[in-house]
Amino acid sequence: MRTEARLFTGVAAFFGAAAGCYGPLSGDPAGTAALVVAFLMAALVAFFLHVQYRKRGRRPQDRPGADVADGAGPLEFMPPSSPWPVVTAAGFALAGGGVVYGLWLFLIGAGVLAAGVLGLVFQYAARLPPGAGEPDGPSETGSRAAPPGRG
């Protein structure tokens, strides 16, 4: 992910430099705002990829001498189901309707949207990483469970 982080850092630097030059020379606030938003989005992706690289290290794809078998095994955790995308979509719909019908509906939608986004972000925050399951030693009480069939 180091290569991807550097790529998006370059994209963010390009949009930042373009916004820095375009804004004062053109006087166009809409174009300047678009370039600033593009810079912020690319910087966010670059930051995420940099953090993932520091957290997980080099991938097999990043090593020149790696074999195909080095990348084998479970890749990521995929959640089976989640109610939070529906809550997020409902909050976005309410907030969008609030733009048309009034501030009260927008605020309700913003609250539902915030709850949905936080639910998506933190629904698996306490999940243990792979291989960090139950300890192999005795339990906290000092005894092991009896094998099945023996009572």
Side-chain angles (χ1 to χ4, degrees), residues 4-146:
E4 292 93 341
R6 288 180 177 172
L7 176 72
F8 275 97
T9 301
V11 170
F14 169 76
F15 281 122
C21 294
Y22 181 80
L25 294 177
S26 71
D28 177 26
T32 305
L35 287 170
V36 168
V37 168
F39 162 73
L40 292 174
M41 289 191 303
L44 178 68
V45 172
F47 175 73
F48 171 77
L49 290 171
H50 180 71
V51 168
Q52 291 301 312
Y53 173 73
R54 290 190 61 173
K55 183 178 175 182
R56 298 179 184 202
R58 296 180 73 187
R59 298 175 300 175
Q61 296 90 337
D62 296 333
R63 296 191 305 260
D67 294 328
V68 174
D70 291 341
L75 296 177
E76 287 296 328
F77 169 75
M78 296 298 188
S81 64
S82 174
W84 298 113
V86 176
V87 174
T88 304
F92 187 75
L94 285 172
V99 171
V100 175
Y101 293 110
L103 181 63
W104 63 274
L105 186 60
F106 176 78
L107 292 176
I108 292 171
V112 173
L113 180 63
V117 168
L118 289 174
L120 278 170
V121 169
F122 293 113
Q123 69 181 340
Y124 294 108
R127 186 178 70 86
L128 294 174
E134 297 282 329
D136 291 331
S139 65
E140 293 177 4
T141 60
S143 64
R144 292 180 175 254

